[in-house]
Amino acid sequence: MSRRIRFRFSSGIEAVGVIKDEKAAEELLKNSPFESTANRWGDEIYFELPFDLGLKGERVVMKVGEIAYWPEGNSLCIFFGPTPVSRHGEPRAISKVKPVGEMVEGLDDLNMIKQGEKIRVEVEG
């Protein structure tokens, strides 16, 4: 079962995604809402989770708008363009991530998010 996930940044920007991975959706819902700090790595936003999703990474080449779990950093990542390790302009993770969903609203606004912004994450039950 998929769940809507809302990202509210301290700058006032909001974005919405859908978590399609059932295990990730359950864990995120169980721990919602929670807060973290946004990090920028090129056109990727990632933030540490206050709990472990327990998922394994699968791939590094991503699609614009994908949401993924990064096991090595225990972080959720949102890909919206090239990163420092991209080739041919595609989003690329630094190491294997597990795709868990996709953005459905506010993707274009993510470019305005600054390093260190606070983020509140809410999963709709």
Side-chain angles (χ1 to χ4, degrees):
M1 173 189 278
S2 63
R3 300 273 183 193
R4 285 176 63 88
I5 185 168
R6 183 172 304 275
F7 305 99
R8 298 176 194 254
F9 295 90
S10 55
S11 60
I13 293 171
E14 288 191 26
V16 178
V18 175
I19 301 297
K20 296 178 179 179
D21 182 273
E22 194 169 322
K23 181 177 181 190
E26 287 176 20
E27 283 300 310
L28 289 163
L29 177 62
K30 184 169 71 175
N31 290 282
S32 176
F34 61 89
E35 295 184 358
S36 191
T37 301
N39 296 290
R40 285 286 303 262
W41 193 59
D43 287 347
E44 173 192 341
I45 292 171
Y46 68 97
F47 54 92
E48 190 172 350
L49 298 174
F51 51 91
D52 188 349
L53 286 184
L55 301 173
K56 302 277 188 226
E58 294 179 354
R59 60 183 160 98
V60 294
V61 177
M62 305 303 291
K63 297 176 189 155
V64 170
E66 275 191 297
I67 302 169
Y69 175 67
W70 180 38
E72 288 180 33
N74 191 40
S75 297
L76 213 55
C77 311
I78 305 170
F79 294 89
F80 57 97
T83 65
V85 293
S86 290
R87 299 179 197 144
H88 314 294
E90 88 284 0
R92 185 179 287 260
I94 188 72
S95 59
K96 288 184 179 181
V97 296
K98 166 71 173 167
V100 296
E102 64 186 2
M103 297 301 295
V104 295
E105 294 174 27
L107 183 64
D108 294 339
D109 295 334
L110 295 180
N111 200 39
M112 295 184 283
I113 301 303
K114 305 273 191 274
Q115 172 73 23
E117 278 192 46
K118 296 299 177 196
I119 179 172
R120 180 177 171 87
V121 180
E122 300 169 0
V123 179
E124 295 177 5

